[in-house]
């Protein structure tokens, strides 16, 4: 999480003190002595001047900024300064964007400077940068202060298009709606393609977007409509960072995509852990707080959560081992950090912010979502830190969890409490080694074959 600042030592000046030894020949040979003293005096000043110039030059070289390095875009220019979290002010010595040890040191990303109506205007609502869809904001912020940012688009491998779709969702009949997404993104693409040559030259194949809502790049909250609409034609050649992902073939992931975690505000996790450490007492066996409908077919006319949450409520509401709550509570993370198992059933989509919250607070996630593709599954050891339960086996959930508790719970917790695991799923305002944006950069580095600039260089 937030790491300790490292205070750099103050620079000190240099001086040379020299002393010449008297002649061993005594006073008898005065002319010879005067000749040698003249030589020693001149030698002393020449040596002193040479050493002084050496040390002064070394000082300038080590302290003068490298003129070849391009400075990152100013945050004040992007209107983020009033909303920056504590992570924004961390020492750069703890930041992976320092030059030493950069794992993708030749990766360059250009971030389009779009008009504020596409992104930062929406930050007037603070919820925009902290809710479960806020990875679109966090990634944008982190890239703008990253060593991988380039202000020269001609040297860029990828082009990031910062359109905040989930920030400004509206509601229809009480349900979130992002019907504006397609027209908003289409407008942004039209703008950049008229002002820059980079979209047209690659047909968008090296351009990156974020789709952090339910069904990702289909941009709809209801799966049947999302499937019917499909991925907008103008995005089909691009790279989409999306929270949605399933192992089976699905129309909403038939695009070059990277599955990213839903956003959890790091500040809220820090506040919870300050009061209750990960390794503290856990007096709740199985926990869930969230929407659980008694009658799963709600006013939308659809079965919510494929009836899974309804089954949980009906089966285990009276079971003392289960702490199930249907109503919102602002301090619910204090319940997660007290729990052994945290239930993560699907909602409208298979993914849930509970995946990240559970891992960050040391509660074993119990994933109930058939066929889900989990974020960064190539580096996060999901099989070793979670319990996966088939949707059809919800009725056997108590027996399954009791068996895990009696057999390999301690091993799972040991893996889960490795600090590298939660770090990989958390977004920060600056890129930190191993955090979620760092994992995004790693995924992009593996897709450099899509870079128009790279393909041109390799063909020459």
């Amino acid at each position: 999480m937030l790491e300790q600042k490292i205070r750099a030592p103050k620079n000190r000046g240099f001086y040379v003190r020299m002393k010449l030894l008297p002649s061993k020949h005594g006073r008898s040979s005065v002319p010879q002595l005067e000749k040698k003293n003249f030589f020693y005096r001149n030698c002393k000043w020449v040596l002193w001047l040479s050493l002084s110039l050496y040390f002064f030059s070394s000082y300038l070289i080590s302290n003068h900024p490298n003129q070849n390095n391009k400075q990152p875009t100013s945050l004040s220019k992007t209107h983020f300064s009033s909303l920056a979290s504590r992570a924004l002010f961390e020492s750069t010595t703890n930041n992976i964007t320092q030059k030493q040890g950069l794992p993708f040191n030749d990766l360059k990303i250009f971030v389009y400077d779009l008009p504020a109506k596409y992104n930062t205007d929406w930050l007037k609502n603070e919820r925009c940068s902290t809710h479960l869809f806020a990875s679109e904001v966090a990634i944008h912020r982190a890239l703008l202060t990253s060593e991988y940012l380039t202000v020269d688009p001609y040297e860029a491998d990828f082009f990031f298009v910062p359109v905040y779709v989930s920030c400004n969702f509206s509601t229809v009949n009480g349900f979130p709606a992002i019907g504006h997404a397609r027209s908003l993104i289409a407008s942004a693409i039209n703008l950049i393609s008229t002002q820059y040559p980079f979209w047209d030259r690659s047909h968008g194949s090296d351009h990156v977007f974020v789709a952090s809502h339910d069904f990702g790049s289909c941009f709809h909250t209801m799966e049947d409509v999302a499937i019917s609409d499909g991925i907008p034609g103008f995005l089909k050649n691009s790279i989409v960072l999306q929270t949605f992902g399933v192992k089976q073939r699905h129309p909403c992931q038939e695009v070059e995509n990277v599955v990213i975690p839903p956003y959890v505000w790091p500040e809220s996790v820090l506040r919870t852990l300050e009061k209750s450490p990960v390794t503290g007492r856990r007096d709740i066996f199985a926990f869930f707080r969230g929407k659980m409908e008694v009658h799963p077919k709600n006013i939308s006319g659809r079965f919510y959560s494929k009836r899974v949450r309804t089954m949980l409520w009906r089966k285990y509401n009276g079971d003392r081992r289960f702490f199930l709550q249907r109503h919102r509570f602002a301090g619910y993370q204090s319940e997660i950090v007290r729990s052994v198992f945290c239930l993560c059933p699907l909602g409208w989509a298979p993914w849930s912010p509970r995946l990240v919250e559970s891992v960050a607070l040391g509660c074993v996630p119990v994933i109930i979502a058939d066929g889900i593709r989990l974020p960064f599954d190539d580096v996060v050891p999901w099989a070793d830190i979670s319990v996966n339960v088939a949707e059809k086996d919800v009725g056997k959930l108590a027996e399954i969890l009791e068996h895990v508790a009696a057999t390999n719970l301690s091993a799972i917790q040991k893996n889960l409490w490795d600090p590298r695991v939660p770090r990989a799923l958390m977004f920060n305002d600056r890129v930190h080694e191993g955090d979620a944006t760092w994992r995004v950069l790693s995924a992009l580095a593996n897709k450099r074959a899509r870079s128009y600039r790279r393909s041109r260089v390799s063909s020459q």
Side-chain angles (χ1 to χ4, degrees):
M1 304 309 178
L2 295 184
E3 302 180 28
Q4 185 179 4
K5 294 185 179 180
I6 299 176
R7 192 182 298 273
K10 296 181 179 179
N11 291 316
R12 303 180 185 273
F14 299 95
Y15 70 93
V16 179
R17 183 176 181 180
M18 303 181 66
K19 182 178 180 180
L20 296 179
L21 297 175
S23 171
K24 63 180 180 180
H25 299 287
R27 297 178 180 269
S28 57
S29 53
V30 175
Q32 186 178 359
L33 178 61
E34 289 178 349
K35 184 178 180 180
K36 287 189 176 181
N37 282 342
F38 175 80
F39 172 77
Y40 289 149
R41 282 196 302 271
N42 283 277
C43 180
K44 175 182 76 172
W45 287 109
V46 170
L47 183 58
W48 181 87
L49 181 61
S50 300
L51 288 172
S52 298
L53 287 173
Y54 171 78
F55 287 123
F56 184 68
S57 300
S58 300
Y59 172 80
L60 286 179
I61 291 171
S62 62
N63 287 273
H64 196 278
N66 188 344
Q67 296 296 330
N68 294 325
N69 293 335
K70 297 177 178 63
Q71 298 301 316
T73 304
S74 168
L75 280 184
S76 60
K77 182 178 178 182
T78 56
H79 313 290
F80 287 155
S81 56
S82 63
L83 294 169
S85 69
R86 194 188 318 166
L88 189 63
F89 304 102
E90 287 191 2
S91 169
T92 55
T93 54
N94 288 329
N95 195 309
I96 189 56
T97 59
Q98 59 184 331
K99 291 193 172 183
Q100 293 182 350
L102 284 175
F104 334 113
N105 57 1
D106 58 346
L107 180 69
K108 294 296 179 183
I109 298 177
F110 180 79
V111 178
Y112 285 109
D113 187 14
L114 297 179
K117 68 177 183 179
Y118 291 101
N119 41 60
T120 55
D121 272 355
W122 297 98
L123 295 179
K124 295 171 185 175
N125 180 355
E126 292 189 8
R127 183 175 177 272
C128 179
S129 57
T130 59
H131 63 29
L132 71 161
F133 308 124
S135 55
E136 60 186 5
V137 180
I139 294 171
H140 185 199
R141 284 178 171 174
L143 289 179
L144 286 176
T145 57
S146 167
E147 185 72 19
Y148 304 101
L149 176 75
T150 178
V151 296
D152 181 0
Y154 287 94
E155 71 172 17
D157 296 304
F158 296 103
F159 298 81
F160 184 77
V161 188
V163 180
Y164 296 174
V165 169
S166 302
C167 250
N168 55 6
F169 66 80
S170 58
T171 58
V172 177
N173 296 326
F175 291 88
I178 51 173
H180 61 279
R182 292 169 181 256
S183 60
L184 191 66
I185 296 174
S187 171
I189 292 173
N190 181 63
L191 180 65
I192 63 178
S193 63
T194 55
Q195 293 186 354
Y196 298 90
F198 310 110
W199 175 270
D200 289 337
R201 75 179 186 181
S202 68
H203 304 290
S205 66
D206 51 5
H207 283 59
V208 183
F209 298 80
V210 180
S212 56
H213 222 293
D214 288 313
F215 292 97
S217 42
C218 280
F219 296 104
H220 203 284
T221 57
M222 297 298 174
E223 187 172 20
D224 55 345
V225 181
I227 291 174
S228 176
D229 290 347
I231 297 170
F234 49 77
L235 278 187
K236 287 190 175 180
N237 289 327
S238 299
I239 301 171
V240 182
L241 312 177
Q242 59 181 40
T243 44
F244 172 75
V246 288
K247 295 176 182 177
Q248 66 271 23
R249 186 173 180 178
H250 194 286
C252 296
Q253 62 184 11
E254 291 180 356
V255 64
E256 190 73 19
N257 66 85
V258 177
V259 179
I260 61 174
Y263 184 82
V264 172
W265 191 32
E267 191 73 19
S268 65
V269 173
L270 285 169
R271 291 172 183 172
T272 301
L273 292 176
E274 284 173 358
K275 298 176 182 178
S276 305
V278 166
T279 55
R281 181 171 176 264
R282 295 184 179 269
D283 57 342
I284 298 173
F285 181 71
F287 169 76
F288 179 82
R289 181 183 286 276
K291 187 175 181 179
M292 288 183 288
E293 295 174 307
V294 177
H295 304 289
K297 196 170 184 178
N298 55 38
I299 60 174
S300 70
R302 298 175 178 86
F303 288 105
Y304 181 66
S305 187
K306 298 182 181 177
R307 299 186 179 91
V308 168
R309 297 193 187 188
T310 301
M311 177 65 72
L312 283 171
W313 179 256
R314 290 177 178 175
K315 177 80 174 179
Y316 300 111
N317 180 39
D319 192 321
R320 291 185 178 181
R321 295 168 295 182
F322 287 76
F323 186 74
L324 306 178
Q325 299 294 323
R326 298 173 60 201
H327 303 292
R328 294 182 180 273
F329 167 49
Y332 71 96
Q333 287 187 355
S334 63
E335 298 169 332
I336 294 177
V337 81
R338 292 171 47 204
S339 303
V340 176
F341 297 103
C342 288
L343 309 186
C344 304
L346 73 163
W348 288 119
W351 62 271
S352 164
R354 293 172 184 82
L355 283 170
V356 178
E357 290 172 314
S358 301
V359 172
L361 296 170
C363 181
V364 178
V366 180
I367 302 168
I368 312 173
D370 291 354
I372 186 174
R373 272 173 64 208
L374 294 163
F376 307 138
D377 57 2
D378 57 333
V379 292
V380 177
W382 286 106
D384 300 325
I385 64 169
S386 63
V387 176
N388 208 308
V389 177
E391 294 168 15
K392 65 180 180 59
D393 292 332
V394 169
K396 306 174 185 176
L397 183 59
E399 292 80 0
I400 293 172
L401 297 184
E402 289 286 3
H403 175 73
V404 172
T407 54
N408 60 335
L409 175 61
S410 59
I412 294 175
Q413 288 177 328
K414 182 180 179 181
N415 296 325
L416 178 64
W417 294 347
D418 182 336
R420 292 173 296 183
V421 173
R423 186 182 305 135
L425 301 176
M426 299 288 290
F427 291 98
N428 298 290
D429 281 348
R430 288 182 181 269
V431 183
H432 294 276
E433 181 174 6
D435 78 352
T437 308
W438 193 89
R439 297 296 176 190
V440 167
L441 290 168
S442 176
L444 292 178
N446 291 332
K447 298 180 184 295
R448 276 181 284 201
R450 297 178 64 87
S451 166
Y452 177 88
R453 184 181 74 87
R454 299 255 172 196
S455 62
R456 294 283 293 177
V457 171
S458 62
S459 63
Q460 291 175 354

